[in-house]
Amino acid sequence: MIAFVTGGTGHVGTAMVEVLLKRGFEVHCFVRKTDNLTYLKSLNSSKLFFQFGDLRSPESILEGMNVAQPDYVFHVAAAVSWWAPWRVFYDINVVGTRNVVEAIEKITSVKKLIHVSSFAVYGYEDQLNAREDQPYGKLHNKFSKSKIMAEKYLWEKYDNGKGLPISMLRPPSVFGPHDTANFREIIRLIKRNRNIVPGKGDQLVSWAYNYEIADFLIKMAEDDRATGEVFNIKTGDLTTKEL
C-alpha cells in the first residue's frame, strides 16, 4: 500500500509517517523545502520518499501525487497558531484542503482521503465528551473557523457517498514526541517562573497521544465502515493544574 501524507514533519505527521512505515506502507511525504527533515531521514527507510511543494500550490500537490500514485491520502497538514492572520488559516486550512481534493480527483489510484480536523470545531464553550453528531459551537477563533469551512467543503465533496470517499478525525490538544508547540511553551514558562495555571486550575483539557492518533487514522483508512464518518478521539483529560 502507498500513502501520501501532508504535514509529515508536524507533531501528528511525524508519528503518522513512522507508524505507516512500521506497517509496511510506502510513504510519500509532502513537505516544504524549508521543513526540518532530520528525524524522518533518521528513520533510514527505503520506503520513505519526499515530495516537495506547498499546499497553496495546486500544481506541486498534483505533481507529488502523480509520482506517488497513492492508495490513501492522509491530509494532516494545517496552520495551527494563536497569532497568525486570518489569511494564513484560510490559505492553508481551507484553500490547501481544496487543492488536495482537486489533485485527488485527478489521481485514479486514491481509494480514500483521511482528513485530520480538530475538536475545536465544537467551539470553545464548555465541552465534555462531545459526540460526533453534536453541532458546531458558537464561540470560535480563526483556527476553528477555518477547520469548519474545510469540513463543510469536504462533506460537499463526499456527497452522501456519491462523491469522494472521505473519513475525518477530530483530535483535541495533542501530546507526545516531536512536540514543538504545547509542551515547549509550557516548559519555557516554567523556566521563567511564570504562572501557567489560570484561575483555580480546575479547567479540564482533553489530550490525544500522537501515536494513538496515527494508529487510528490508519484504521480509518483500511476499514470501509469509516468511510463517510467523523470520529472524536482522546487519550484522556487533565485539569490545567494536573497538567
Side-chain angles (χ1 to χ4, degrees):
M1 288 292 179
I2 302 174
F4 187 89
V5 181
T6 70
T9 57
H11 194 186
V12 174
T14 301
M16 186 83 242
V17 172
E18 188 173 347
V19 174
L20 283 166
L21 290 171
K22 288 180 179 178
R23 301 285 179 85
F25 280 77
E26 178 180 310
V27 182
H28 291 255
C29 209
F30 185 72
V31 294
R32 296 168 298 182
K33 290 183 178 180
T34 56
D35 286 342
N36 186 345
L37 305 179
T38 304
Y39 180 76
L40 293 181
K41 286 183 175 180
S42 75
L43 298 175
N44 197 29
S45 174
S46 61
K47 290 189 173 184
L48 177 59
F49 304 90
F50 298 103
Q51 310 297 342
F52 293 96
D54 192 295
L55 286 177
R56 293 165 291 193
S57 166
E59 297 83 9
S60 67
I61 301 172
L62 181 58
E63 182 180 350
M65 285 194 197
N66 262 322
V67 172
Q69 292 294 307
D71 296 284
Y72 303 115
V73 174
F74 295 91
H75 184 33
V76 184
V80 182
S81 171
W82 290 104
W83 316 115
W86 167 247
R87 193 74 212 179
V88 172
F89 291 103
Y90 182 77
D91 286 350
I92 300 297
N93 297 347
V94 183
V95 177
T97 299
R98 187 186 310 152
N99 291 339
V100 168
V101 169
E102 290 177 354
I104 289 173
E105 291 176 330
K106 298 173 183 176
I107 305 294
T108 59
S109 64
V110 178
K111 299 175 181 177
K112 188 187 295 186
L113 167 64
I114 302 88
H115 174 72
V116 178
S117 184
S118 171
F119 196 80
V121 299
Y122 296 115
Y124 292 97
E125 300 92 346
D126 288 339
Q127 305 282 357
L128 183 63
N129 298 325
R131 291 172 54 89
E132 288 85 352
D133 58 2
Q134 182 169 310
Y136 298 132
K138 297 179 180 179
L139 183 61
H140 291 281
N141 59 16
K142 290 177 283 188
F143 169 71
S144 58
K145 287 178 181 177
S146 67
K147 281 298 192 179
I148 290 173
M149 292 175 70
E151 281 199 10
K152 289 181 176 179
Y153 168 77
L154 289 172
W155 291 131
E156 289 178 4
K157 282 294 178 179
Y158 176 66
D159 192 20
N160 294 312
K162 294 179 287 186
L164 180 67
I166 294 172
S167 294
M168 198 176 301
L169 188 67
R170 294 171 178 161
S173 297
V174 180
F175 75 100
H178 323 296
D179 182 356
T180 60
N182 290 322
F183 281 90
R184 177 175 290 183
E185 178 65 14
I186 290 170
I187 292 170
R188 186 183 68 83
L189 291 170
I190 290 172
K191 289 173 71 174
R192 295 185 178 186
N193 294 317
R194 296 285 298 276
N195 178 21
I196 62 171
V197 180
K200 297 179 180 179
D202 57 356
Q203 300 92 340
L204 274 177
V205 180
S206 296
W207 294 86
Y209 186 56
N210 59 342
Y211 282 87
E212 289 182 349
I213 293 173
D215 180 68
F216 197 73
L217 288 169
I218 297 172
K219 287 183 170 69
M220 291 167 60
E222 296 179 329
D223 195 327
D224 289 340
R225 293 174 299 175
T227 304
E229 299 290 343
V230 59
F231 299 93
N232 297 336
I233 185 173
K234 69 176 180 179
T235 303
D237 301 313
L238 288 174
T239 66
T240 49
K241 186 175 182 179
E242 289 171 329
L243 175 63

